Amino acid sequence: MEEKSGMIGKWLKKHLHLYVAATRHNFVLSIRDGSVDLSNFKKWLAQDYIFVREFVPFVASVMIKASKTSDDKNDMEAILGGLTSLNDEIDWFKQEASKWSIPLSGTIVHKANENYCMFLSSLMLPEVEYAVAITAFWAIEAVYQESFAHCLEEDNKVSQELQETCKRWGNEKFGHYCRSLQNIANRCLEKAPDHVCARAEVAFQRVLEHEVEFWNMSHEGVGKSIDIV
Ligand SMILES: Cc1ncc(CN)c(N)n1
């Protein structure tokens, strides 16, 4: 019997090129083969800290949508689990930043990061359907899980000091969490009208595009300056 991979399984095939661009980016491959330039890693870390702080209210908005519209109370609990792990994530970023002596306040927000955060804000609007928001939420988490799990595969050459970062998102528990989000999204998409599915597919593609731009940022100069206080 054909594995029930749902709408997302179909989109992963249809947009495979973009999905590979997001989950096998040169920056990620350079972490995996140990050739990453540490200054690029530090740029990425500082920008990702800014992103995660914007990601928290987005995840909260998905949880609110779930509590209002989902027919399954487990959805809200799964998303709540993600929200609490973001609490640890922010602490982890602060520890990592001090380990690398990266000043987190006063970081200049790169244009690609600003664009990604504006996209997150657009998905927080109440008129954005739950099926669209949960699909984007799954995609955002899945890109990091796939990228960093790849770094931890056999014969990787990740330097000792970057192992922690890869394990943060590449571990099996986070993989299980992403699969639970994928199942929630598929269940919503099965029931959603065509025009909502179409919007969710666009959101999926937009997430992948923003993730590629986010990885690209690690080896570019900083873009527009917005001080983070
Ligand atoms: C840009 C980005 N995308 C996804 C994740 C995983 N929450 C993250 N930390 N940063």
Side-chain angles (χ1 to χ4, degrees), residues 44 48 51-52 55 86 89 93 116 140-141 143-144 169 174 211 214:
W44 163 79
D48 209 35
F51 176 84
V52 168
F55 187 56
L86 283 170
E89 194 154 303
F93 271 101
Y116 202 172
I140 293 168
E141 301 288 46
V143 165
Y144 265 44
W169 291 284
F174 192 67
E211 289 289 347
F214 200 91

Side-chain angles (χ1 to χ4, degrees), residues 2-46:
E2 213 234 326
E3 201 246 322
K4 197 161 173 37
S5 59
M7 190 64 83
I8 285 181
K10 206 173 86 186
W11 292 345
L12 285 170
K13 291 190 189 76
K14 182 177 171 186
H15 305 291
L16 183 65
H17 180 74
L18 197 45
Y19 192 70
V20 169
T23 56
R24 297 290 184 270
H25 190 278
N26 284 340
F27 177 67
V28 173
L29 301 182
S30 74
I31 293 174
R32 187 182 196 275
D33 69 19
S35 66
V36 63
D37 177 323
L38 267 191
S39 66
N40 290 346
F41 174 80
K42 290 179 181 179
K43 266 190 248 173
W44 163 79
L45 192 96

